[in-house]
Amino acid sequence: MRRLLAVLLTFTGGGMFSAAGAEPLTLAQIQADVRARNPQLRSAAALAAADRERIHQAGSREDAVAGLEFMRDSSRRLNTYDTAELSVRQKLTLTGNRDARRAVATAEADVTSAGVHSREFALLNDARDAYFQLWSARTQLGLIRESDRLLGLTLDLIRSRAATGQADANALLAAGTERTRLHERQLALEREASDAAAKRNTLRDLPAQQ
């Protein structure tokens, strides 16, 4: 029985392998979507940008603070004021302190940027794994469906021969058992393909079952 299937698949299986394993989205497109849409990556990039902005702030003087105070000479006139005093305060920081703050801010920004690159690398690897898992599952599903079709034809042939007493009962049993095994494997691969597609879509910030 297996030898018969192998011969039949030799003539019919090659084209099915390519067609069933075809993936509408390329790996490059999926990874581009991950870079552009993944919420974890976007959040990490926003934090890195904020840390970069703090480098300039750390090396700058603090903003001047203005104040305005009204005073009265007599406590009897509660609704009037005699004097207004305007003040401006500017905190002058030593150059060495500003350089130290800038160095600390730069180091923190470098660490955050390295974290972004690490996160991007991990997410792109996850996307690549999901892509090839989905491709593999779909390819195997195509082969299994074709095998099931051929087994169905074989079973019909065996049954027709059995009706005339020319078929072996063991051959009929073997074909039925093999078809059951294929159906079980098909269900497992369908679950695997569904999980891989959900993971791929989630990484792209899309609904899992899209």
Side-chain angles (χ1 to χ4, degrees):
M1 178 62 63
R2 293 180 183 275
R3 187 173 300 171
L4 173 61
L5 285 175
V7 172
L8 289 171
L9 285 173
T10 300
F11 291 99
T12 62
M16 179 63 69
F17 184 91
S18 298
E23 168 60 41
L25 290 171
T26 66
L27 177 58
Q29 289 172 324
I30 292 172
Q31 290 184 327
D33 284 346
V34 171
R35 288 190 179 98
R37 299 178 183 176
N38 185 270
Q40 296 180 31
L41 194 56
R42 293 176 64 182
S43 176
L47 289 175
D51 282 350
R52 283 293 169 192
E53 181 63 25
R54 280 195 285 272
I55 295 175
H56 173 73
Q57 297 172 356
S60 303
R61 292 190 178 93
E62 295 184 10
D63 294 335
V65 178
L68 181 62
E69 184 178 358
F70 295 96
M71 296 174 289
R72 64 172 64 90
D73 293 334
S74 174
S75 60
R76 296 179 180 179
R77 294 177 297 169
L78 300 179
N79 297 326
T80 60
Y81 297 92
D82 301 302
T83 308
E85 181 178 309
L86 175 65
S87 63
V88 178
R89 296 190 300 274
Q90 170 70 62
K91 185 176 180 180
L92 299 179
T93 307
L94 297 177
T95 302
N97 290 342
R98 292 203 308 271
D99 291 342
R101 288 206 309 266
R102 186 186 296 110
V104 171
T106 300
E108 292 175 347
D110 289 342
V111 170
T112 306
S113 295
V116 173
H117 294 312
S118 296
R119 171 59 60 181
E120 179 180 353
F121 181 78
L123 290 171
L124 292 180
N125 276 344
D126 289 344
R128 183 183 61 200
D129 290 345
Y131 174 87
F132 285 111
Q133 287 170 4
L134 182 57
W135 180 89
S136 176
R138 286 178 172 174
T139 299
Q140 293 180 69
L141 278 170
L143 290 172
I144 285 177
R145 287 168 182 148
E146 180 65 6
S147 298
D148 183 63
R149 185 184 70 82
L150 296 173
L151 266 175
L153 295 175
T154 302
L155 279 168
D156 291 341
L157 176 61
I158 295 174
R159 290 190 185 104
S160 66
R161 296 182 64 183
T164 62
Q166 301 177 0
D168 183 358
N170 290 332
L172 183 61
L173 178 61
T177 302
E178 181 67 13
R179 201 172 194 190
T180 299
R181 187 189 67 81
L182 284 178
H183 288 171
E184 292 174 350
R185 180 57 179 158
Q186 179 177 339
L187 289 175
L189 285 170
E190 287 172 349
R191 288 193 296 268
E192 184 178 325
S194 178
D195 291 345
K199 181 178 180 180
R200 177 200 63 182
N201 291 338
T202 301
L203 287 167
R204 298 162 62 222
D205 197 26
L206 294 174
Q209 300 305 320
Q210 178 171 318

